[in-house]
Amino acid sequence: MSKSLKTVLKEKNLCPVCHIKKAMASTKIHVDGADRFNNGTALTPPMGWASWNAFRNNINEDIIKEMAAAMKAAHLDELGYIYVNVDDCWMSSVRDENGRLQGDLGTFPSGIKALVEAVNSYGLKMGIYTSNGTFTCEDLPSSLYHERTDAETFAEWGVEYFKYDFCHNEPIPTGAPEIEKVLISRKGEKEFITLLAEDAELRGDAMLLHDEKIMHSKYIAGLSNGAGCAIFYDIDSPEDGEFILTLGIRKAVKKDQYCEIIVNGKETYSLRIPGAKGLPRAGRNQTTVFLKKGKNTLLIHNPIASRMDSAARQYQNMGKELMRATKKVSQETGKPEKPICFSICEWGWNRPWKWGHTAGNLWRTTPDIIPKWHSIIGIYEATVRLYDYAGPGNWNDPDMLEVGNGDLTDNENIAHFSLWCMLAAPLILGNDIRKFLKEDGTVDFNNKVLKIISNKKAIAINQDKLGIQCRRVKTNGLTDVLVKPLENREIAVCLLNKTNSPKDISFNIKDLTRLNFVNLPESDRYAVCDIWDNTTFVAGNEISQQVGGHSVKLYKIQSME
Ligand code: GLA
């Protein structure tokens, strides 16, 4: 019996509307072919330092260089902390004469390229920041609508980490223009192909309308909200090359519109169309498209049906531009490509864990952290349930570390660091690294904060190659037991006491071996390493432990036979 078209589309994970691959069941966004953003970076959670938590808007090039020098002196690079990330406020409020971002002319006078070289000279990698909006959160120039230029600028500077914020964002309109015709021409020539509305195959809600009072020809409507698409087949091109595509549309009064044109199922070109002030309602919108010699297909739609689609598409765009830019720079210079680790900072507003893996390497799960216990626990609570979305190359980001900042106690610092290790979170330090230096400039290796962030066994749990985020396996609301599977059939277990008085927490190792996501062989004896006491003991099945207020116990466990 032959299968229905609907069944075939479902089996092949193709969109019932446009018959192109659906990457995410939960949005109408079509992620062209490649689902997972994979630029080869962040195969384990990225580690480094960033300027925001300690310095806010008070940064300059000397602070960044001093931080790189202090990181090197404290051997933090050897532990994996390799990124030196300049957050907001590095840029001048004016772009240069070529429309490029430039360092603040007063506080970064040597320019960002020179700063990248300075950071690289310590064997460290430089990170940079802008916003997926018209300005950054500190109201400085940003990258929305400048994606290609800015990605190329960062790649040319040799930047290797990019945090992309969400302030001053302008969502992509969900409305699509009504299309009367499509003209295709070579640059500098009149059109050689005219496609009329009635030439298109229409799918979903797309329909052909005719309003004789206003227009004299037919037009395609119903392409809004990812609900329909128009396809033009058999567009003959005499050669491979770039052509000008002009959409003849009916403008909407005071309503911005958007559409995407997919050529041959591969390249996507987007058009933003501003709302008309009033009549006339006929508009022209152009883009350059690449056509291959012979027959070509154009699919026109607006896949944006929600704020989540909009955010996903805008971050995907930047991710693609970053990949394109680093490749281009490598081809032009003949030097090895320096991929840019792409950090999505969208504060969890549009559920970035659902689409972040199609756009970048990590995505913030919540609004900003502050150095207070309630903030750390609140962020932990929001992130601990997102274990399904994290994995090598693409991580949940509960924000930069506050270890060593504010009035956090030693126990709170240890708990904060341990939780981030268990969550397979990026370990981006947020403290002033120069505080690890003594007056004579040498490093105080007894500094308590330095000792916490340098705990190799804790870092190894975070950096475990399996890249599995912990799961909460037991909770009474006040205390939690977390389990993180590790390589070599081992596990990490964290006992968390969220309250401010000591609590007894217990767990049964045999029960843990039976969890379907755990690969610890069942045994009668286990070697248990206490990560913060740096001791190892042999345990049977039951472990019961008193854990102090705002504290954790962190263990690594292996079976003894
Ligand atoms: C937002 C981000 C922070 C920081 C600031 C900079 O609030 O979430 O991490 O980058 O902007 O202005």
Side-chain angles (χ1 to χ4, degrees), residues 52-53 87-89 129 136-138 163 165 167 345 347 364 367-368 399-400:
W52 184 253
N53 286 0
D87 208 281
D88 205 347
C89 300
Y129 161 103
T136 71
C137 296
E138 292 287 318
K163 172 173 163 185
D165 219 324
C167 280
C345 178
W347 321 312
R364 280 272 298 277
D368 292 8
D399 208 352
M400 303 167 292

Side-chain angles (χ1 to χ4, degrees), residues 365-384:
T365 53
T366 67
D368 292 8
I369 194 167
I370 56 169
K372 297 269 182 215
W373 183 247
H374 70 80
S375 168
I376 291 161
I377 292 301
I379 290 176
Y380 152 77
E381 292 285 356
T383 310
V384 70

